[in-house]
Amino acid sequence: MQRGGTQRARRTLAATRRSKKTLLQLDQDGLRELTADVLGVPLPVSPPSRPSTFSHSEDMEEVTATLPVSELSFAEHTQLSNALVFVDALADMATPNCQTLLVRFILERRPLHNGLASRAFRVLAALETPSEELVQAVYQLAFAANESTTSFGEDDSSHDGDSHSIRAEALLCLGTLANRIEASSNVATQAVEQLHTELSLHMPHARRSRRGAGAASPEEIAHVALLLDAIGNAASSRSFEMLQQWVSWNDEPVTVRDAAVHALRDFHGEKAEQAIAQRFLTDSHKH
């Protein structure tokens, strides 16, 4: 994982405030016009007798229910700004149809649009009840190797082929969604287990067997910290012992141990408190 991609991912997902000014200005007819403009498909006009308000998810569900998902594509003239508002609207309403559209239209589109995928990960992290289909789509991107990406037209400043940044954002988003979905969900279990598996490849003994006595590279350190962040987002009880190990390894880089401590933020109880306290007592660097 490239360090720059990781930093961009953290900045993106840390900016949880979403501007809803444009969305709040949309009534149902405005939403239909936006959808028709972005997708290039005509939509029926809502009945005049029905109040036009964007404050209810039923509006978005009604709009999206008429869309032939398997046949959709962005209209050629669509501007990135409109497409981003459309992504925001889908995530903001988070109805079943909206989540399906996000999966089919953004997350499963190949090549991925950098700007839209990045915005999707940011707003999806705020979902309270993500669908298993959506979590599975994020999972596929989080653990995909060298996923091809592209920019969205001339007004998209994101860089083509920046799959490292996309994967970093997907990993952090996956951890958060795994925390939100039902604990008994197979998708959530699969996500946490895969995060554990990937992190285990970078444990000190595994790293030494690959690199000998050599220190971890900056790229590997950044990737380990990213995985710890994602596991912390998931906050699964199955992760506690692994996180406790990473906190206790005094020879690990400060960046890694800081990430391990931060990953314990949603774990409560005496053992978690002791692990965090021990970290500050034994480290030689200043905070």
Side-chain angles (χ1 to χ4, degrees):
M1 180 69 63
Q2 291 183 353
R3 191 171 185 177
T6 302
Q7 292 173 342
R8 282 193 296 275
R10 285 177 179 155
R11 286 198 299 268
T12 299
L13 288 178
T16 55
R17 291 180 57 194
R18 284 183 289 159
S19 173
K20 296 186 179 181
K21 180 177 179 181
T22 304
L23 296 181
L24 291 174
Q25 291 173 345
L26 292 174
D27 58 15
Q28 190 185 57
D29 289 337
L31 177 60
R32 288 172 181 274
E33 291 176 7
L34 172 66
T35 305
D37 178 73
V38 170
L39 304 183
V41 294
L43 295 172
V45 178
S46 60
S49 59
R50 177 175 174 177
S52 293
T53 60
F54 191 70
S55 59
H56 301 293
S57 60
E58 289 83 357
D59 291 343
M60 193 59 162
E61 189 71 352
E62 180 178 328
V63 169
T64 56
T66 63
L67 299 176
V69 176
S70 61
E71 302 171 8
L72 291 179
S73 180
F74 284 111
E76 291 184 6
H77 65 278
T78 300
Q79 295 182 348
L80 176 63
S81 58
N82 281 348
L84 291 174
V85 171
F86 186 64
V87 170
D88 284 350
L90 293 175
D92 191 63
M93 294 298 101
T95 64
N97 281 340
C98 292
Q99 293 195 43
T100 295
L101 269 177
L102 283 168
V103 170
R104 300 281 189 273
F105 205 55
I106 307 298
L107 302 181
E108 291 184 349
R109 181 173 292 275
R110 298 295 182 273
L112 280 170
H113 290 298
N114 272 344
L116 295 184
S118 179
R119 176 65 70 91
F121 291 133
R122 189 180 77 183
V123 296
L124 290 179
L127 288 184
E128 293 298 329
T129 55
S131 67
E132 290 204 2
E133 177 188 33
L134 189 143
V135 178
Q136 186 64 44
V138 175
Y139 175 95
Q140 294 299 328
L141 290 173
F143 296 107
N146 300 320
E147 186 66 63
S148 60
T149 62
T150 186
S151 57
F152 188 86
E154 296 179 356
D155 55 345
D156 187 355
S157 60
S158 57
H159 301 287
D160 290 352
D162 194 6
S163 60
H164 294 283
S165 177
I166 292 297
R167 188 181 179 214
E169 292 177 20
L171 282 166
L172 294 174
C173 183
L174 177 65
T176 300
L177 295 179
N179 177 266
R180 301 274 171 75
I181 203 168
E182 291 287 340
S184 59
S185 166
N186 290 333
V187 178
T189 300
Q190 180 186 24
V192 172
E193 288 180 350
Q194 187 59 37
L195 286 168
H196 287 183
T197 297
E198 182 151 344
L199 182 59
S200 69
L201 298 176
H202 302 279
M203 286 186 170
H205 64 274
R207 190 167 61 235
R208 284 193 295 269
S209 67
R210 294 195 312 271
R211 304 174 62 93
S217 66
E219 292 77 15
E220 184 172 16
I221 291 172
H223 186 52
V224 169
L226 173 68
L227 290 170
L228 289 167
D229 284 345
I231 290 172
N233 287 350
S236 169
S237 59
R238 299 187 299 277
S239 303
F240 179 75
E241 290 186 4
M242 174 177 278
L243 293 175
Q244 196 175 23
Q245 279 186 310
W246 282 94
V247 170
S248 68
W249 285 328
N250 297 331
D251 293 334
E252 285 300 290
V254 170
T255 300
V256 169
R257 299 191 67 209
D258 281 349
V261 168
H262 184 64
L264 287 172
R265 65 192 180 279
D266 290 327
F267 291 84
H268 305 287
E270 186 177 351
K271 288 185 177 180
E273 293 174 359
Q274 288 177 347
I276 294 173
Q278 188 64 25
R279 152 77 167 84
F280 290 103
L281 288 173
T282 57
D283 272 4
S284 59
H285 76 284
K286 296 181 180 179
H287 294 270

